Amino acid sequence: RDIGFREAVVTAIRPAENRIETTRGEMEYDYLIVALGTRYADDKVPGLREHGYSLWTVGEAERLRERIE
């Protein structure tokens, strides 16, 4: 699969069309991952460590990619 990363400010999300509008233009997506915040609070959310995915490290991003594929 062709997986990419773009950092931009999202101005609209159109899930029915699999499309977002950003400060860098419009984009289509198959899967949309919205990453918010600055701290991964896996110690405060039961099950997050075992079942969630962070994007803090390349290894974690690769683990998420493997799950999606």
Side-chain angles (χ1 to χ4, degrees), residues 7-29:
E7 184 175 353
V9 174
V10 176
T11 56
I13 299 175
R14 306 198 186 289
E17 302 165 18
N18 284 16
R19 177 179 232 81
I20 60 171
E21 296 176 17
T22 76
T23 53
R24 297 180 63 191
E26 288 192 9
M27 295 177 224
E28 293 181 353
Y29 63 87

Side-chain angles (χ1 to χ4, degrees), residues 2-60:
D2 183 26
I3 298 174
F5 169 83
R6 291 190 186 176
E7 184 175 353
V9 174
V10 176
T11 56
I13 299 175
R14 306 198 186 289
E17 302 165 18
N18 284 16
R19 177 179 232 81
I20 60 171
E21 296 176 17
T22 76
T23 53
R24 297 180 63 191
E26 288 192 9
M27 295 177 224
E28 293 181 353
Y29 63 87
D30 294 318
Y31 299 95
L32 178 63
I33 298 171
V34 179
L36 304 172
T38 60
R39 186 174 177 289
Y40 190 66
D42 61 345
D43 58 325
K44 297 187 182 203
V45 180
L48 184 60
R49 186 174 295 145
E50 296 80 17
H51 305 290
Y53 297 88
S54 80
L55 299 175
W56 285 101
T57 67
V58 172
E60 283 294 310

